[in-house]
């Protein structure tokens, strides 16, 4: 027996010695899990917690509720088919942790995506299929990574808690003033109203793609109620109204809405808004006593450029943005510049610097962007006045890898389809960005945590190229 043990040890040592450096053993890291696995054997409704396990298909037949103190984790590769206009009611924590190779799909299986021309009357994207993700003030953390949210926005039948209203049609509703909401590398397709409505807390919306958001109105990311954080490296195409917006209503919260909006690409925004022309934007809107930064954005064939509201028009419901200097807060003063514009008609060209059509604006022409609007309108220009932008039509083509410009279909092309919005080498949008500021990492509401599970994968700093795709491969990964 002794000789046998010695022989066995020698055999094991020999086997180890025979492994070269090329033969390193790769031990896969198990996926993070929480509590018990959620069964997929029957449609789900009611209280839910635990882990939806990787690469499994689940069906939800009625509203599901995550209780305060509980967590629902969705692992990579999961498909969630949501029926009957059902919602996620989040009183606890929801973690949707997809990956680039195995994203998560939350969808209404009765609906199919369409390509090409899109309008609110006939495209099923604007009707609403499943409901939304409604987060209560008790929800401390919502994380959406590499997650598809397709065909959401069914009208809310009854508010599950104080905040949302009957008939709301948001994909995500967020309202914890001290909570953290992370959405990165994800997609939203379709929705009748705002894709996401924020009321407070700390947010980091990075490297996402939004298509067909809003039927006859509604924004992509609409931050209100003291929300603070970043909206960066997002591709937003065919939104009904604003791609990103900051506002401070209601004004009862302790802190002020402050959003850094940088290195986003906005395409064909603002053409399904049935409201008064000029009462809403088509790219970036800063209004109602909020502060914002708007740098390095690529804005193509949108109804309006970066708009800083300057009036108190009750009909338009747009109120004066905060442009004053402050000593506190992550953004001490609203600032904007180094943005790149391409337009295909005179109406768009005449609103690169938005004018006083529906209500007063205080958007100053900038010399740092493309085109140089300060030079075009001249030193005597007063913000809000009309100007002639005819000479800008068709100029400064950003040279997308695969998207035709000029494009007469800007008002109806609202989805990415097979197009590629990366920049070609030699694009005039390369290298025009401003990198002399930092993204928001700490707000008056909390801190943006960097964590592979419970926070952001990274807080991507400003890039040197205009738009969400950077020539060095950083930025949006879709």
């Amino acid at each position: 027996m002794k000789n046998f043990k010695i022989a066995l040890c020698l055999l094991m040592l020999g086997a180890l010695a025979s492994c070269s450096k090329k033969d390193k053993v790769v031990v896969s890291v198990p996926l993070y899990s929480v509590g018990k696995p959620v069964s997929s054997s029957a449609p789900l409704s009611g209280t839910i917690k635990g882990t939806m396990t990787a690469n499994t298909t689940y069906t939800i037949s009625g509203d599901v509720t995550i209780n305060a103190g509980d967590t629902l984790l969705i692992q990579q590769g999961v498909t969630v088919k949501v029926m009957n206009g059902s919602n996620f009611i989040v009183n606890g924590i929801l973690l949707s942790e997809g990956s680039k190779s195995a994203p998560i799909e939350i969808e209404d299986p009765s609906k199919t995506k369409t390509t090409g021309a899109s309008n609110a009357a006939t495209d099923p994207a604007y009707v609403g299929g499943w409901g939304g993700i409604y987060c209560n003030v008790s929800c401390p953390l919502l994380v959406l990574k590499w997650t598809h949210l397709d065909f959401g926005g069914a009208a809310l039948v009854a508010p599950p808690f104080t905040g949302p209203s009957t008939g709301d049609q948001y994909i995500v509703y967020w309202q914890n003033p001290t909570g953290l909401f992370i959405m990165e590398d994800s997609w939203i397709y379709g929705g009748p109203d705002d894709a996401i409505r924020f009321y407070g807390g700390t947010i980091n919306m990075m490297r996402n793609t939004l298509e067909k958001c809003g039927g006859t109105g509604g924004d992509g990311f609409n931050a209100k109620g003291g929300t603070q954080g970043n909206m960066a490296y997002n591709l937003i195409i065919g939104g009904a109204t604003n791609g990103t917006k900051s506002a401070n209503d209601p004004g009862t919260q302790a802190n002020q809405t402050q959003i850094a909006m940088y290195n986003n690409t906005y395409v064909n925004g603002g053409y399904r808004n049935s409201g008064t022309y000029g009462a809403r934007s088509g790219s970036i809107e800063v209004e109602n006593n909020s502060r914002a930064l708007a740098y390095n954005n690529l804005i193509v064939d949108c109804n309006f450029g970066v708009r800083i509201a300057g009036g108190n028009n009750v009909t338009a419901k747009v109120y004066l943005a905060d442009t004053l200097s402050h000593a506190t807060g992550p953004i001490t003063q609203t600032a904007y510049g180094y943005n790149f514009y391409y337009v295909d008609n005179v109406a768009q060209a005449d609103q690169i610097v938005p004018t006083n059509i529906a209500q007063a604006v205080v958007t100053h022409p900038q010399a740092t962007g493309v085109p140089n609007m300060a030079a075009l309108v001249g030193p005597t220009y007063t913000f809000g006045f009309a100007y002639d932008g005819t000479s800008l039509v068709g100029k400064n083509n950003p040279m997308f890898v695969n998207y035709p410009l000029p494009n007469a279909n800007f008002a109806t092309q609202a989805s990415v389809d097979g197009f590629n919005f990366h920049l070609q080498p030699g694009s005039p949008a390369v290298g025009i960005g401003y990198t002399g500021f930092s993204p928001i990492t700490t707000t008056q509401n909390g801190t943006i945590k960097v964590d592979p599970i419970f926070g952001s994968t990274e807080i991507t700093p400003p890039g040197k190229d205009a738009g969400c795709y950077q020539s060095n491969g950083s930025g949006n990964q879709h």
Side-chain angles (χ1 to χ4, degrees):
M1 179 63 71
K2 183 177 180 181
N3 291 337
F4 173 76
K5 290 181 177 179
I6 293 172
L8 180 61
C9 290
L10 290 173
L11 180 63
M12 293 175 65
L13 289 171
L16 290 172
S18 67
C19 293
S20 68
K21 292 182 179 179
K22 294 181 181 179
D23 299 322
K24 290 181 179 178
V25 177
V26 177
V27 179
S28 60
V29 178
L31 293 175
Y32 181 77
S33 62
V34 174
K36 296 180 179 179
V38 176
S39 173
S40 61
S41 61
L44 301 168
S45 63
T47 302
I48 188 172
K49 64 179 179 178
T51 299
M52 289 184 168
T53 56
N55 306 313
T56 303
T57 297
Y58 294 84
T59 298
I60 289 177
S61 59
D63 288 356
V64 293
T65 298
I66 305 167
N67 287 333
D70 289 344
T71 297
L72 175 64
L73 169 70
I74 307 176
Q75 291 181 338
Q76 65 181 34
V78 164
T79 296
V80 185
K81 297 181 178 182
V82 189
M83 317 290 287
N84 305 321
S86 303
N87 303 282
F88 289 83
I89 310 302
V90 187
N91 298 306
I93 294 174
L94 174 59
L95 306 172
S96 183
E97 304 281 352
S99 67
K100 187 172 186 177
S101 60
I104 290 163
E105 304 275 347
I106 302 177
E107 60 183 29
D108 183 325
S110 69
K111 298 185 180 298
T112 303
K113 293 181 180 180
T114 60
T115 59
S118 173
N119 65 75
T122 60
D123 195 321
Y126 309 117
V127 177
W130 64 282
I133 300 171
Y134 284 84
C135 299
N136 202 351
V137 292
S138 59
C139 168
L141 179 64
L142 172 63
V143 177
L144 304 173
K145 294 182 180 179
W146 292 101
T147 299
H148 286 268
L149 303 174
D150 294 343
F151 292 108
L156 191 62
V157 175
F161 42 72
T162 301
S165 301
T166 299
D168 281 352
Q169 295 185 282
Y170 309 125
I171 313 302
V172 181
Y173 180 98
W174 169 261
Q175 65 168 358
N176 186 341
T178 60
L180 176 61
F181 178 8
I182 303 296
M183 181 176 178
E184 56 183 31
D185 302 306
S186 293
W187 300 260
I188 295 179
Y189 180 95
D193 202 339
D194 295 347
I196 301 183
R197 176 69 69 91
F198 311 83
Y199 284 107
T202 299
I203 66 169
N204 200 41
M205 307 287 109
M206 286 203 166
R207 306 179 302 278
N208 303 292
T209 297
L210 276 60
E211 308 170 77
K212 298 184 179 180
C213 291
T216 57
D219 305 316
F221 295 145
N222 186 352
K224 297 173 176 288
T227 308
Q228 296 183 355
N230 303 301
M231 301 174 181
Y233 294 99
N234 302 292
L235 170 61
I236 304 174
I237 180 169
T241 315
N242 310 288
T244 56
K245 186 177 86 173
S246 64
N248 209 48
D249 51 303
T252 56
Q253 65 288 330
N255 297 320
Q256 186 181 41
T257 301
Q258 299 178 37
I259 306 294
M261 311 175 194
Y262 61 92
N263 285 103
N264 298 297
T265 297
Y266 306 82
V267 182
N268 304 344
Y271 296 103
R272 289 191 311 281
N273 179 19
S274 60
T276 303
Y277 176 73
R280 290 293 186 268
S281 180
S283 55
I284 296 172
E285 175 98 358
V286 183
E287 63 179 57
N288 201 357
N289 198 36
S290 66
R291 307 179 215 167
L293 301 179
Y295 288 119
N296 309 341
N297 298 292
L298 176 53
I299 301 172
V300 174
D301 279 341
C302 288
N303 233 344
F304 290 82
V306 175
R307 196 173 74 154
I308 315 300
N312 290 312
N313 186 314
V314 176
T315 302
K317 297 182 180 178
V318 177
Y319 306 99
L320 180 66
D322 181 1
T323 58
L324 302 177
S325 179
H326 300 266
T328 60
I331 297 174
T332 55
Q333 187 169 18
T334 293
Y336 45 97
Y338 299 87
N339 297 301
F340 188 105
Y341 293 90
Y342 172 89
V343 297
D344 266 328
N345 66 21
V346 175
Q348 297 167 347
D350 289 347
Q351 296 300 326
I352 289 176
V353 176
T355 59
N356 300 334
I357 292 182
Q359 78 280 321
V361 296
V362 291
T363 313
H364 292 262
Q366 298 293 305
T368 56
V370 177
N372 181 337
M373 294 305 296
L376 178 80
V377 300
T380 61
Y381 177 80
T382 301
F383 50 77
F385 281 32
Y387 62 90
D388 182 5
T390 304
S391 64
L392 304 178
V393 176
K395 300 293 177 64
N396 306 310
N397 188 324
M399 297 172 55
F400 290 130
V401 168
N402 173 24
Y403 181 77
L405 291 174
N407 192 332
N409 300 320
F410 57 79
T412 60
Q413 181 61 47
S415 50
V416 173
D417 298 348
F419 297 118
N420 185 335
F421 294 94
H422 286 76
L423 302 174
Q424 296 182 46
S427 164
V430 170
I432 71 116
Y434 172 57
T435 59
F437 69 100
S438 298
I440 293 173
T441 57
T442 301
T443 76
Q444 293 170 299
N445 304 320
T447 300
I448 299 174
K449 187 176 182 179
V450 177
D451 185 275
I453 302 296
F454 301 101
S456 279
T457 305
E458 68 170 27
I459 305 173
T460 309
K464 65 181 183 63
D465 306 329
C468 67
Y469 296 108
Q470 298 293 293
S471 54
N472 63 4
S474 64
N476 195 301
Q477 298 299 300
H478 298 161

